Amino acid sequence: MAEDALFRARNLTKHFKITQGFFQKLKMEEKQVVRAVDGIDFDIQWKRNFSVVGESGCGKTTVGKLIMRLLEPTDGKMYMKDKDITQLSSKSELKAYRRQTQIIYQDPFSSLDPRHRVRTILEEPLQIHGLGDSREERTDMVMEALEEVRLTPPEKFLRRYPHMLSGGQKQRVSLARAMILSPDFIVADEPVSMLDVSVRAEVLNLMKDLIDEEDVTYFYITHDISTTRFFTDYIGVMYLGDMVEKGKVGDVLDNPSHPYTQALLVAVPEADPERVRGTKEVPISGEIPSGTNIPSGCRFHPRCPHAEEICSKKEPESRRVEKEHTAKCHFAGEIDFDLDVAK
Amino acid sequence: MVHWEDVKADALETLGEFKKHKIGLIGITLITFMIMLGLLAPYVAPGVAEDWDKGHPRWQSNPSQAPPVWVDWITRDDYARQETLQDFEHNETGPPWRETHTHTFTYDMQADVPPKEIFYEFSGESDGYDNRKIIIERPDSDELDGKDGFRQSEGNLMVLDEPRKGSEGNFSGTITTIRKMEIRDNLHEDISAYLNSQVGKENFSDPGERNINPVKTIFGKANEKWLSDPEPLKGKYNITIEIEADNLGGGEGLDEATVEIGGAVYGIFGTDRDRRDIFLGWIWGARFGLYAGGIVALTTIFFSTSYGMTSAYYGGWVDELMSRIHEIIMGIPTLPILIIVLEFYSRSINMFVLIYALLMWRGAARVIRARGLQVAQDTYIEAAESLGSGSGRIIFRHMIPQILPYAVAQAALLVPIVIMAEAGLHILGLGDPSIVTWGTILTEARAAKATMNYQESWFWILFPGLGMVLIGFGFISTGMAVERIINPEMQQR
Ligand SMILES: Nc1ncnc2c1ncn2[C@@H]1O[C@H](COP(=O)(O)OP(=O)(O)O)[C@@H](O)[C@H]1O
Ligand SMILES: [Mg+2]
């Protein structure tokens, strides 16, 4: 598996120290730590798109930012094409890495500079990386990128400001901005969750088309499990900073082996690419514990309907359920989970 | 990369935004107008800043405390205008070693409000001269001549003496004099004697009354109100300058002989007590005020943006340290520093500007830092970083354009504050004495108690005050419009 991996993460960890006020520091109060990402492993292969699902606050965005090297990991390693990207020796190496890896943000309203026109926005990555010899050439590249994301005719969009675009159009511009550098790997952090339900499918379809047109691999972050089957091959389910279950999308969705995955699936009975649904409440009881105070043993046990004594004492190992399908549950593969957990 | 057509479109768009904020548009127009006046000051009023001292020859033939010219247009009364009389009739009598030269000018007075003053100017060379006189023949001189109570006045009603006798034996040189006409000491005695004989009472027995305006008397009707509140006497006045001198040179005895009639109204904004044209001082006031305010505003934009951006972009301990330093410098009191430096070091306007430039950015910096912290959190900043931008690009291409309008709005509000502060310094006696600002004019007006007899000198206070109000309104409304354009949520409030 690792040989032809595009991207690998090992024991990837990010703990945030909660910022303290000046006086708290003076009083030497103990720092609180949010364990946003708590030692996760995953492999992503060329053109095998990877979904990460989980409730909001479970650490998905943090993983995305770690991948982008926008955050410094507390621990762990990441490899891009076998190069250790946590050990980049110079700024230019980081810059080169960023040319290969791009990100699309969740919020189209704040991810485009409101004072720049579409042309300037799309020209910026070219300028940063010294692509295109002349302004005309760059403008041609910008127009091409606009066409790729189906913003046609491109001339019509060049001079627009972000506030003159709809949410879906903004997200297409974001996509174009990421694509214009021809990256290998794109982190898409809930790219449609803030769009109108009516345009979500369009944008997802476009992203899917670009997989082959542009030769990219997505790291697709979502809290909407129903969209994962649509264009990803692998899935990782995150709960409270840990990746509790992962495997091929089909395997995980058809044969969920962690009670949390199970609960997520109850919220969405069927994954239908054409009729993407809005967010549903996860039908499990209890508050989501905070990252500052992660439960002992299995971190899901306080909310788990199947929890037994061992679950609060011992942290479960990753158990293989099928080939390429693992779950971090003491009873993974042993218990046939009841589909009506909600009751 | 700058696309010029985009820049043009942006400028037009911003202007379009301004159009939505009428008050901002008015503000911008006002500011532009004031700036233009300020820029034009050296052409419209060359040298005025240097010549603003009391008694500078430049102002000597202006009327004192004359209202603006346009008062004539808006009131029904006809006001006498400033006028130079150049045509005269020359006569010469007596032996050549003791010539008597007369120069007679004719002034046709048809105004309801007569001239405020009469000036004469003559220059010439002689081996010595004894006497100069001014004789004024009024339209009613013939009627009055020889009437009871009047002394023999060489056939004319009034003989106005130049009291100084210039002769010092053999004087030789240029005689140049400009002076307000002084009335002969006993003229009022004549007039009150005449009035008494007409009315038959001793009502006008105070010849020594000195606050009677001699020029008003000259142009006043010979009735019972002559001395107290004269009515204008319209008609032709002959003004004769008589010089008795030895061997007066020049073709007609004098190189130069003019009579200047000081208007009852003068200039666009009138004149002050020392005859200075308030408008000419005022445009220099606009220039110096905008200069001081503008420099302070620009440095404020620079300092507060640099400070706020550094603090907000680097965050963490840098921000913390800078915030502590900011708190400390926030504690430096402006006024005492200003007073000490100006009092003991230099009162130059540049010193004032320097102190304000060094101190005024502090308030704005706080706003800019807060805004910078917000902007730094915006996703597009992170997006730029993930595209590979360095900090320079992030700061200059993404953050500054967001923050600059806030700095501009803050700085715009400072301009009137600086101008008022400068005016305040003049009142404290700490203003720059070598220039003229609105503060200079106002302080002089205050010293002359212009506020107390405002009917006579309202224009002296009104225009410098109005200048400050307009500048204040202009910059504050512009600043507010900028704030609303950059911050549309504020419009709802
Ligand atoms: N910069 C930060 N400082 C402190 N805590 C953070 C920071 N970013 C994220 N967190 C915390 O980390 C956890 C995971 O956040 P995030 O990765 O945004 O979750 P998700 O994207 O799954 O909703 C949350 O509890 C969040 O409060
Ligand atoms: Mg998120």
Side-chain angles (χ1 to χ4, degrees), chain B residues 292 295-304 307 325-342 350-366 410-411 414 417-418 421 425:
Chain B
I295 301 266
V296 173
L298 290 178
T299 49
T300 295
I301 291 174
F302 180 76
F303 287 141
S304 64
Y307 168 89
I325 295 173
H326 185 253
E327 268 160 38
I328 293 167
I329 55 178
M330 216 48 202
I332 301 173
T334 309
L335 196 60
I337 296 241
L338 204 59
I339 291 175
I340 289 167
V341 174
L342 295 179
N350 290 321
M351 186 51 68
F352 164 79
V353 168
L354 180 71
I355 295 169
Y356 259 60
L358 290 177
L359 294 175
M360 277 296 115
W361 60 276
R362 297 174 296 176
R366 206 182 253 173
Q410 289 285 314
L414 272 183
I417 293 178
V418 170
L425 286 178

Side-chain angles (χ1 to χ4, degrees), chain A residues 14-19 34-37 54-65 71 106 189-190 221 223 238 240-241 289-292, chain B residues 377:
Chain A
K14 180 69 195 180
H15 293 176
F16 289 110
K17 291 190 185 87
I18 292 186
T19 28
V34 182
R35 289 153 68 187
V37 176
E55 287 161 288
S56 134
C58 71
K60 306 183 297 292
T61 295
T62 307
V63 174
K65 288 188 182 176
L71 289 174
Q106 178 174 12
D189 186 359
E190 310 204 34
I221 296 170
H223 61 245
M238 278 190 76
L240 220 54
S290 82
T292 49
Chain B
Q377 294 303 310

Side-chain angles (χ1 to χ4, degrees), chain A residues 4-19:
Chain A
D4 59 342
L6 172 68
F7 190 91
R8 287 182 289 142
R10 290 292 173 269
N11 188 32
L12 187 58
T13 307
K14 180 69 195 180
H15 293 176
F16 289 110
K17 291 190 185 87
I18 292 186
T19 28

Side-chain angles (χ1 to χ4, degrees), chain B residues 397-412:
Chain B
R397 297 294 303 267
H398 296 283
M399 294 183 77
I400 300 240
Q402 289 291 329
I403 272 147
L404 207 56
Y406 288 83
V408 170
Q410 289 285 314

